[in-house]
Amino acid sequence: MSSSPHFLAIAVLLLLTPACSLSDFSDELFIQLLTRQHNIVRSGMHNVAPLTLNSTISTRAQRWSDELNRLPRSGMCIFHSGQGGENIYYHWSTQTVSEQWLAEKAVVAFYEEIKQYNYNLPGFKISTAHFTQMVWMATTQMGVGISRRRVKINHSGCGLKQRYDANLYFVVVQYEPHGNIIFQDNFKKNVTKPLRSVDEFLKKFTS
C-alpha cells in the first residue's frame, strides 16, 4: 500500500529577485542545477546515494509542466498528474530569475520541511512529504520538467489595486522508484537523519 506522494510548494514574490531575461533562461542548465542541488542534500546531508537524471522521466515531467502552464491564470489551481513520486514547485515574480536562484529556491522549499519531521515518530505527513520524497533512500532516478510564461496579475493590498507583469515558473520533479510508501518501517529505513545542522545548511541559501 502506498500514499499518493504528489506535493506542491508555492512561492510568490512581488519584490526584486535576481534577474535575467526570461528568454535567456536555460531550461537545460536549470535542470542540471536542480539535480545537483537534490544530490547535495541527499549525499551531503543524509549520506544517501545521488539521483540520476532520467530522460524518460523528464519527458513525462515536462508534459505535466506544460499542461500546468496552459491553465488560465484566473482562478488557477495547481494539481498533480497522478504519477507516483511527484513534487511540484510553482513560483511567480515581477522579476525574472536566474537558473541557479530558482533551483536553490525549489530545493529549499522542499527540504525545509525537515523542520517539521519527527524522527521519533517516523511516517507519512502531507506537511513533510516534499522532504521525505527528496531524500528517500530507495529512490534512484529523477526527472524534471519546467515551463514558464509572462502574464498580467492583479494584486490588492493596503486598499490599493495594482496590476503587475509577472513571470510564472512551473517546476515538476518526478522520482522513481517513488517514496513516501506508508508503513512506519519504510520511513525508518528510507528517511535518514541529517549529518549536520539543518539551520546552518539552509542559511547558505536564505542569507
Side-chain angles (χ1 to χ4, degrees):
M1 177 181 178
S2 67
S3 66
S4 298
H6 328 298
F7 304 100
L8 168 68
I10 297 177
V12 178
L13 272 72
L14 291 176
L15 302 177
L16 294 179
T17 51
C20 66
S21 168
L22 190 63
S23 61
D24 290 339
F25 190 97
S26 168
D27 293 351
E28 182 178 356
L29 176 58
F30 168 77
I31 290 170
Q32 292 173 357
L33 291 169
L34 187 69
T35 304
R36 183 185 304 167
Q37 293 298 332
H38 268 70
N39 289 332
I40 287 173
V41 169
R42 286 176 63 89
S43 300
M45 287 296 290
H46 292 268
N47 197 30
V48 295
L51 299 178
T52 300
L53 185 65
N54 181 292
S55 60
T56 300
I57 303 173
S58 289
T59 298
R60 189 176 63 210
Q62 186 62 51
R63 282 199 299 266
W64 191 244
S65 181
D66 291 341
E67 183 68 23
L68 293 175
N69 198 25
R70 283 192 286 268
L71 293 172
R73 180 64 188 91
S74 178
M76 182 174 62
C77 294
I78 305 301
F79 53 95
H80 290 271
S81 66
Q83 178 68 40
E86 179 177 85
N87 286 348
I88 296 177
Y89 179 76
Y90 164 56
H91 169 82
W92 72 265
S93 170
T94 54
Q95 297 291 310
T96 51
V97 300
S98 71
E99 298 89 347
Q100 180 75 31
W101 190 91
L102 189 63
E104 290 180 355
K105 291 300 178 182
V107 167
V108 166
F110 297 160
Y111 189 59
E112 65 184 358
E113 293 177 0
I114 189 177
K115 296 178 180 180
Q116 303 176 60
Y117 189 74
N118 185 352
Y119 280 95
N120 295 319
L121 191 62
F124 175 79
K125 291 183 179 179
I126 289 290
S127 61
T128 59
H130 291 96
F131 154 66
T132 51
Q133 172 58 86
M134 186 166 63
V135 302
W136 196 264
M137 183 183 294
T139 297
T140 59
Q141 299 180 88
M142 65 182 285
V144 182
I146 178 169
S147 297
R148 47 202 161 79
R149 76 176 190 263
R150 193 158 178 82
V151 297
K152 294 282 188 180
I153 290 181
N154 295 315
H155 177 73
S156 299
C158 301
L160 299 175
K161 291 185 177 180
Q162 295 176 289
R163 188 169 175 83
Y164 295 96
D165 288 318
N167 299 301
L168 303 185
Y169 300 84
F170 301 88
V171 179
V172 176
V173 188
Q174 295 180 351
Y175 307 84
E176 289 187 4
H178 75 73
N180 288 331
I181 300 172
I182 293 176
F183 296 130
Q184 190 178 66
D185 285 348
N186 287 325
F187 282 82
K188 286 181 179 178
K189 178 180 179 180
N190 285 284
V191 183
T192 61
K193 291 183 178 181
L195 300 174
R196 57 185 62 87
S197 167
V198 171
D199 288 336
E200 288 300 314
F201 176 77
L202 289 173
K203 192 181 297 183
K204 296 186 298 183
F205 302 100
T206 56
S207 59

